[in-house]
Amino acid sequence: PYPHPVPSSPLSLSTMAVGKNKRLMKGRKGQKKKVVDPFTRKEWYDIKAPATFPNRIAGKTPVNKTQGTKISSDSLKGRVFEVNLADLKGDEDLAFRKIRLCCEEVEGNSCLTNFHGMDLTRDKLCSLIKKKQTLIEAWVDIKTTDGYTMRLFAIGFTTKANKDHLRKTWYAQSGQVRAIRKKMVEVINREAGKSDMKELVAKFTAGSIGTEIEKACRGIYPLQNCVIRKVKVLKKPKFDITKLMELHSDAAAEAAGAKMARADEGAVPTMAGAGGRL
């Protein structure tokens, strides 16, 4: 019944619509932000492996530069790196092992790391699994002499008793599997419980624990390709900078080289796989 009020002038109409009509505000917003490359505010640090490995520099890692209270070295501590053992030892035959290193201290432009775990590559593990044999696995928690708690996973496969083996398959009975698994746990406890971290890493890389398991289980059922397939560090002792510096010293490198040379004498020969699924 009542007509709508007509604005007194077109000026008042444009003033009312400025806040609501987005087309009128188009020229003010939408200015492009300046694109800054994120790597301009980063610096690079060397990843330094312990002296137990011949090749000490494992790679480089970036981190944001120190700004205010946020220090770059604090961001690096606790960072975990996965490195191939072939790069650390300079031997392509060891490319099936992956070593995990954890940064514990920063010295200059270097991250001083310590052993944090080990694993097999997926293609190597798949190549070991075949038909007509029994796969046996065992795991055990051990404590080293220097206070590290670790979980070790072992794997082994049955094989022919001798060349005159007539059967086409070599499956182990369930009782034999239990006996082999028990023997695996005993050997791992014996070999790992009396070693410190340095000696244990040398045994992992040389494969000597797998050799001992094969020898111990020979009387139950012959095994082949017996290895420690995975290692997890569950608990570490209280951080000690002096022990870490000893681990990265030249004297430790010489001692580790002598121990690894002795361990390589009884190492498992390079395992031939069947090229299983990836």
Side-chain angles (χ1 to χ4, degrees), residues 4 20 29 32 40 42 45 60 68 117 124 127 134 156 161 164 175 182 189 206 211 225 234 249 264 267 273 276:
H4 293 288
K20 295 181 180 180
K29 288 188 178 179
K32 288 186 179 179
T40 56
K42 292 186 186 293
Y45 284 78
K60 289 182 177 288
K124 184 63 182 177
S127 70
T134 303
D164 300 328
K182 186 178 179 182
N189 276 322
T211 312
N225 296 339
L234 302 179
S249 65
D264 285 337

Side-chain angles (χ1 to χ4, degrees), residues 75-95:
S75 302
L76 287 169
K77 289 176 185 175
R79 191 176 286 190
V80 177
F81 311 99
E82 195 170 82
V83 189
N84 198 293
L85 184 59
D87 296 330
L88 293 175
K89 290 192 73 175
D91 186 359
E92 289 299 321
D93 292 336
L94 300 172

Side-chain angles (χ1 to χ4, degrees), residues 25-49:
M25 301 289 290
K26 194 173 181 180
R28 300 182 187 178
K29 288 188 178 179
Q31 294 178 356
K32 288 186 179 179
K33 290 184 179 178
K34 190 177 180 182
V35 179
V36 180
D37 185 11
F39 276 88
T40 56
R41 54 191 180 89
K42 292 186 186 293
E43 52 191 0
W44 293 83
Y45 284 78
D46 292 328
I47 303 167
K48 200 170 183 181

